[in-house]
Amino acid sequence: MHTIWENPGWSCYVFDEQVVARAYDAYLIQKQVTDIVFGFLDSDMRIRMHAQSLSEEIQSSFEIEGESIAYESVFSSICKKLDVHLEQGAKSDRYAESIASLAFDATDNLETMTETRIMGGHSLLFSSLAGLKPKRIGEYRDAPVYINRGNGVSTQRLSTKGFLP
C-alpha cells in the first residue's frame, strides 16, 4: 500500500508502508545486536566511541553546509563534556565548545523544542567568540536573509518569515 504524506508548504512523499515496515524491523534487529556488542565493551570505550561518532557527525554536517570545523577541536570539546581524559592535549576552542554544547542539547534533551531552546542554540552558534555573526541575534526575521560568503557574492539563505538566520 502506498501512502502519500502531505503537509501544506512542504514536499509530498509517497512511500510503500510494507517496505518501510521491513526496514524498521531490520533496524530493530540491528539495534539489538549492537546493544549486545556494546554490552561487552567497557564504559570508557563506549564513551570514547560515542565522542568519536558525535564528532564525525558534527564535522560531516558542517561539510554538507559548505563550512569547516577542526575535528580535533570538536573531539576535544566533546571529550571534555563527557569527562574523557585524552592522552594528548588537543586544542579546543570556544566555537567548538559551543557546537558541542549544541550537539548535546540536540541529542540528550528530548523535551519539546521551545523558543528558549532555539534562542539558546542560536546564541551558541553566533556568540561573539564564534564564527559568523548576524546583525540581530535571537530575533525573528521579517524579510529574506542574505549571507555574504566572503567572495563578494551574497546568497539568499532563507526567504520567508521565521527565526534568524
Side-chain angles (χ1 to χ4, degrees):
M1 174 180 189
H2 291 294
T3 302
I4 299 175
W5 179 77
E6 292 184 67
N7 192 349
W10 292 35
S11 299
C12 297
Y13 299 96
V14 178
F15 58 93
D16 185 330
E17 289 182 52
Q18 291 176 344
V19 171
V20 172
R22 282 194 304 270
Y24 183 68
D25 290 341
Y27 158 77
L28 290 177
I29 291 169
Q30 290 173 353
K31 184 180 180 326
Q32 288 175 341
V33 170
T34 303
D35 290 346
I36 290 168
V37 170
F38 270 87
F40 290 114
L41 299 175
D42 64 65
S43 63
D44 185 54
M45 178 60 78
R46 280 194 302 268
I47 292 171
R48 285 179 182 270
M49 289 174 71
H50 176 62
Q52 183 179 4
S53 175
L54 193 53
S55 300
E56 289 170 358
E57 287 182 35
I58 289 170
Q59 188 174 33
S60 294
S61 295
F62 268 70
E63 288 173 0
I64 288 169
E65 294 298 323
E67 302 293 332
S68 64
I69 190 165
Y71 174 84
E72 295 79 17
S73 294
V74 172
F75 183 69
S76 174
S77 297
I78 288 174
C79 286
K80 194 181 300 183
K81 290 195 174 296
L82 292 173
D83 291 326
V84 172
H85 174 73
L86 296 175
E87 292 79 25
Q88 294 180 329
K91 293 182 181 178
S92 178
D93 59 44
R94 178 75 177 120
Y95 188 55
E97 289 175 12
S98 294
I99 297 301
S101 295
L102 188 62
F104 279 109
D105 179 62
T107 57
D108 295 344
N109 187 349
L110 301 179
E111 295 176 15
T112 303
M113 183 59 76
T114 63
E115 187 174 11
T116 303
R117 277 182 69 194
I118 292 170
M119 288 186 182
H122 195 251
S123 190
L124 285 171
L125 283 173
F126 301 109
S127 69
S128 61
L129 298 175
L132 300 172
K133 177 102 173 155
K135 293 178 185 174
R136 302 178 314 188
I137 295 177
E139 295 179 27
Y140 286 93
R141 64 182 184 275
D142 54 6
V145 174
Y146 296 90
I147 297 177
N148 188 335
R149 290 283 180 197
N151 58 1
V153 177
S154 293
T155 57
Q156 183 175 346
R157 285 285 294 266
L158 303 166
S159 60
T160 58
K161 290 186 179 182
F163 198 71
L164 276 173

